[in-house]
């Protein structure tokens, strides 16, 4: 779920922090700059793990800050494909189930990746797994409704991930513009996230944790 990413960055060290140890000042500045932010093809930055290399510092004319090239390792949230995680159901729509880990909300389980057969209850905005009841002869005698209520703990498997660059686009004249790419698409659910995960619960042992207790 968490990895260590080796990164490089030019850090601006302000004079107000010159009384600190340089390692601590660099770490504070990097955390302020990167923590809780998405880096494309890297993941969600959590915090600086350690400093590997500190280059020479330069002070530019008219600027009292020191500009320093730094090589460091960052603790990053980026689960691997087919990793199993436990989160909580945040909301449900006819399209599927949205899951949160508390610090990361962009996890979606499409309707096609729920336990089969499942149905959507529009009145309560919940999905229901119609768990088949099998008799001693191996024949189905109906089903038992297992609800996926908001707030329930749910175990899921990561199917895929998607990074979207939401930065400004350049038009043919070299000017910044919003463009017409996927990163600027906006609908009733809001703008597309810069990092999202698609998951599945269509296997034994996956789904609401209490189902398997």
């Amino acid at each position: 779920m968490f990895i260590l990413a080796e990164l490089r960055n030019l850090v601006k060290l302000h004079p107000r922090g010159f009384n600190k140890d340089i390692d601590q000042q660099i770490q504070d500045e990097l955390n302020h700059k990167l923590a809780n932010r998405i880096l494309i093809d890297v993941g969600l930055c959590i915090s600086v793990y350690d400093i590997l290399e500190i280059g020479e510092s330069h002070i530019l004319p008219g600027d009292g800050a020191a500009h320093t090239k730094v090589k460091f390792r960052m603790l990053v949230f980026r689960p691997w494909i087919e990793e199993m995680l436990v989160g909580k159901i945040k909301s449900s729509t006819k399209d599927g189930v949205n899951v949160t880990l508390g610090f990361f909300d962009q996890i979606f389980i499409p309707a096609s990746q729920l336990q089969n057969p499942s149905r959507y209850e529009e009145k309560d905005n919940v999905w229901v797994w119609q768990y088949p009841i099998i008799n001693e002869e191996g024949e189905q005698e109906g089903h038992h409704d297992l609800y996926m209520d908001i707030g329930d703990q749910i175990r899921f498997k990561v199917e895929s991930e998607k990074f979207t660059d939401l930065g400004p686009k350049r038009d043919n004249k070299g000017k910044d513009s919003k463009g017409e790419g996927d990163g600027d698409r906006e609908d009733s659910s809001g703008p597309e996230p810069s990092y999202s995960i698609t998951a599945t619960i269509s296997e034994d042992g996956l789904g609401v944790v209490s189902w398997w207790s």
Side-chain angles (χ1 to χ4, degrees):
M1 180 164 62
F2 296 102
I3 63 172
L4 287 177
E6 187 174 301
L7 304 171
R8 295 177 183 271
N9 204 285
L10 181 63
V11 181
K12 184 176 182 179
L13 302 178
H14 298 277
R16 63 176 179 270
F18 286 173
N19 60 325
K20 297 181 182 179
D21 175 77
I22 188 170
D23 283 19
Q24 185 61 53
Q25 187 182 8
I26 289 174
Q27 185 168 325
D28 290 345
E29 292 293 339
L30 286 171
N31 280 327
H32 178 73
K33 185 177 183 180
L34 299 176
N36 203 33
R37 299 191 180 186
I38 302 294
L39 294 183
I40 299 298
D41 296 330
V42 177
L44 172 63
C45 296
I46 305 298
S47 66
V48 174
Y49 182 77
D50 59 7
I51 307 294
L52 300 178
E53 182 181 310
I54 301 175
E56 293 184 356
S57 297
H58 301 277
I59 298 178
L60 303 180
D63 184 358
H67 299 261
T68 307
K69 291 183 178 180
V70 180
K71 179 180 177 182
F72 60 99
R73 289 191 295 177
M74 174 72 73
L75 182 65
V76 173
F77 169 73
R78 188 181 183 182
W80 57 85
I81 304 302
E82 297 191 347
E83 181 176 2
M84 295 187 185
L85 304 173
V86 175
K88 287 187 177 181
I89 296 176
K90 182 180 180 182
S91 63
S92 296
T93 68
K94 63 181 180 180
D95 296 322
V97 176
N98 296 293
V99 178
T100 179
L101 295 176
F103 62 91
F104 184 76
D105 296 339
Q106 303 300 334
I107 302 169
F108 182 66
I109 305 172
S112 61
Q113 295 298 327
L114 300 175
Q115 293 281 6
N116 186 42
S118 293
R119 72 176 190 273
Y120 181 61
E121 294 280 2
E122 292 189 13
K123 180 180 178 181
D124 299 320
N125 291 324
V126 297
W127 278 91
V128 183
W129 178 22
Q130 298 174 277
Y131 182 76
I133 299 174
I134 308 298
N135 61 24
E136 295 180 355
E137 286 74 31
E139 299 175 346
Q140 184 172 340
E141 291 185 337
H143 65 267
H144 180 63
D145 287 344
L146 298 176
Y147 285 78
M148 305 179 211
D149 293 319
I150 293 176
D152 282 350
Q153 283 195 319
I154 185 169
R155 180 178 293 108
F156 59 90
K157 184 171 75 173
V158 176
E159 282 282 292
S160 63
E161 63 180 6
K162 181 180 180 181
F163 288 95
T164 302
D165 188 354
L166 302 181
K169 304 296 187 296
R170 290 276 181 176
D171 60 20
N172 293 332
K173 297 179 180 179
K175 297 180 180 180
D176 290 339
S177 64
K178 285 192 173 182
E180 300 178 355
D182 290 343
D184 299 296
R185 186 176 66 248
E186 188 170 336
D187 51 29
S188 58
S189 61
E192 185 173 359
S194 54
Y195 177 46
S196 60
I197 291 172
T198 301
T200 181
I201 59 169
S202 62
E203 299 177 13
D204 289 344
L206 300 180
V208 176
V209 173
S210 61
W211 292 348
W212 308 98
S213 301

